[in-house]
Amino acid sequence: MTESLLRIAMVALDFHREGGSEGRTAQLVDRLVADGHEVHMVGARIAGRWDPRAVQRRIPTPDHPHWLEVLLFARRAEMLVRSEHYDIVHNQIRPFVPGVVTVGGGSHRFYLDEVLPREKGRFLAGVKRAMPLHRVLLALEQRGFRPDRCPVIIANSQLSRSGILQHYAFPRERIVVAYNGVDPVRFTPDSRPLYRDATRQRLGIGPQEFMVVFVGQGFGRKGLGTLLAAVAALDRKGVQARLVVVGRGASRPWIRRAARLGIARRLSMVGHAPDPTAYYAAADVFALPTFFDPFANATLEAMAAGLPVVTSGRNGVAEILHPGVDGLVVQSPDDVAGFADALTSLANPERRRAMGEQARQTALAFPWERPLETTLAAYRDVIGAGQPMPSRTARIPT
């Protein structure tokens, strides 16, 4: 960015380097600081190592209940950013304060209306929607997506963008899509000789066994139930697969479900892994039948590691896939037969090798520099159009 240096407030409840949205924020902070911009990290919790040139502005909030934490953080962060002059105020994940918004999980209203009923059933979805946390998040979103408070929304997929437009009267030309990126050096097929054999031995998986890896948290929303049923269905097709699940979450309900399906001995739930590199290296296929993921970073990481991927049409990464070339897309996340067929086709070593090579090539086209440049371009548009960060009275022209 060759223009004059900017003073930027980066606003997020949490700053750390794990997870898709948080990792994207970290990449942006690192890049802006390296370019010489003055970045203020406005957050309730700031963990991990950061460039000392980044100014950490911690907002005191209670840890519990979470709805109160979110509410107080939004109010206190807005007071802070209004009390100082910033060229850009940039919200990460949720629209806490007036300014640019990068949505991490798409529209919360879309999730509550369209996703949660399929994941939990309509009754439980209705109960959850009435909880204070979801009411606060909806109110925050309804206010934050007003055009007079937000000059531009940055979405990480068309799926995310369409979910916002479906529920909010926001100018569509002011929602830009910037797909997430990946580090092709960190995630690479070169990791296989380093980790594959040792990881399989630790998991009790033979060198020739067909291993499917699932990486994510929120197992229900990510479609683990569908994947377990699909792995069980492979038996009827003469294919046996080992499934390794990486991520935070209660394991016992899923182990019991696997037992009912007769595949308990072929399921390994390894818990959270700060770095999933060894599991990508050990696997043959990555699978994620997610019910809603604006852009599941683990999918792109697996592709960069040289794995063919099988995912649902409700994963924003499906928008960059070339089905049958670098991965397979099963449109419905609850299509057990469709996922079983897709996995069966990848039981062929030659096919998955060729598809994995193409997956790597696709991933190389999405380095982190791409979304970062799109974000910087959005900053230039906001400033160039004479759209300063909104004050109490400012209204942004459309």
Side-chain angles (χ1 to χ4, degrees):
M1 194 170 182
T2 58
E3 293 85 348
S4 59
L5 298 179
L6 302 175
R7 194 167 190 256
I8 301 164
M10 199 70 66
V11 182
L13 193 64
D14 293 279
F15 285 91
H16 56 78
R17 295 180 178 273
E18 293 183 20
S21 296
E22 293 81 4
R24 177 178 173 137
T25 301
Q27 291 281 343
L28 179 59
V29 170
D30 291 347
R31 166 68 183 276
L32 290 170
V33 171
D35 284 354
H37 301 287
E38 182 182 337
V39 178
H40 290 212
M41 299 163 62
V42 180
R45 289 173 293 273
I46 304 174
R49 300 182 63 180
W50 299 88
D51 192 304
R53 291 172 293 179
V55 181
Q56 298 187 14
R57 307 291 298 271
R58 286 182 170 83
I59 303 292
T61 59
D63 290 336
H64 301 287
H66 189 37
W67 68 266
L68 182 60
E69 177 190 36
V70 172
L71 184 62
L72 290 178
F73 174 76
R75 289 180 177 177
R76 293 169 181 175
E78 184 164 347
M79 289 176 62
L80 187 152
V81 299
R82 286 191 187 281
S83 69
E84 302 191 23
H85 172 74
Y86 289 105
D87 301 299
I88 291 289
V89 176
H90 190 168
N91 296 271
Q92 299 295 325
I93 304 179
R94 300 194 187 280
F96 295 107
V97 303
V100 176
V101 181
T102 289
V103 287
S107 161
H108 193 64
R109 183 173 172 185
F110 179 86
Y111 170 72
L112 291 177
D113 288 357
E114 309 292 337
V115 181
L116 197 58
R118 295 188 65 185
E119 180 187 345
K120 300 289 187 181
R122 294 202 172 274
F123 175 76
L124 287 179
V127 171
K128 286 183 71 71
R129 187 183 180 112
M131 294 171 65
L133 174 62
H134 294 291
R135 293 166 62 186
V136 168
L137 292 176
L138 275 179
L140 196 69
E141 188 172 272
Q142 289 164 358
R143 183 181 67 159
F145 287 166
R146 288 193 342 232
D148 62 320
R149 285 179 63 92
C150 178
V152 65
I153 295 173
I154 302 172
N156 55 7
S157 65
Q158 294 293 343
L159 176 66
S160 178
R161 182 176 185 268
S162 65
I164 296 169
L165 291 172
Q166 181 175 332
H167 292 289
Y168 295 99
F170 195 88
R172 66 176 53 243
E173 69 276 7
R174 283 165 51 184
I175 306 179
V176 300
V177 172
Y179 293 116
N180 288 358
V182 70
D183 182 345
V185 176
R186 178 184 174 194
F187 300 104
T188 169
D190 294 341
S191 296
R192 285 180 189 160
L194 300 176
Y195 302 111
R196 185 178 179 89
D197 291 345
T199 303
R200 282 181 169 243
Q201 287 174 9
R202 176 165 54 84
L203 295 170
I205 298 175
Q208 302 304 318
E209 287 190 270
F210 181 38
M211 175 179 157
V212 179
V213 68
F214 168 110
V215 179
Q217 59 185 20
F219 296 146
R221 179 172 62 84
K222 299 280 185 175
L224 182 55
T226 297
L227 187 54
L228 288 172
V231 169
L234 292 181
D235 287 352
R236 297 189 292 273
K237 299 175 178 291
V239 176
Q240 283 205 338
R242 296 289 300 269
L243 174 60
V244 176
V245 176
V246 183
R248 288 190 181 94
S251 60
R252 288 184 180 178
W254 304 101
I255 293 171
R256 288 196 295 266
R257 184 179 295 197
R260 291 195 297 270
L261 292 167
I263 60 168
R265 292 187 176 182
R266 286 187 272 129
L267 170 66
S268 299
M269 301 196 71
V270 300
H272 174 62
D275 184 355
T277 296
Y279 297 103
Y280 295 142
D284 297 306
V285 173
F286 173 91
L288 194 73
T290 180
F291 282 81
F292 181 64
D293 246 311
F295 196 100
N297 268 35
T299 316
L300 193 58
E301 292 171 359
M303 293 169 66
L307 290 179
V309 298
V310 181
T311 193
S312 74
R314 307 306 296 168
N315 181 353
V317 181
E319 297 168 17
I320 69 170
L321 287 175
H322 308 87
V325 178
D326 49 15
L328 297 169
V329 178
V330 181
Q331 287 303 321
S332 176
D334 52 12
D335 182 358
V336 172
F339 277 95
D341 288 342
L343 292 173
T344 299
S345 72
L346 291 172
N348 182 306
E350 285 303 310
R351 185 170 195 223
R352 64 177 182 253
R353 180 194 59 77
M355 199 175 285
E357 290 175 356
Q358 289 300 315
R360 167 74 177 175
Q361 294 305 309
T362 298
L364 290 177
F366 292 89
W368 275 115
E369 285 73 20
R370 276 183 70 165
L372 298 183
E373 287 298 336
T374 301
T375 299
L376 293 172
Y379 289 177
R380 289 191 288 266
D381 289 345
V382 169
I383 294 171
Q387 297 179 355
M389 293 301 96
S391 67
R392 285 183 174 84
T393 58
R395 300 189 70 83
I396 294 175
T398 57

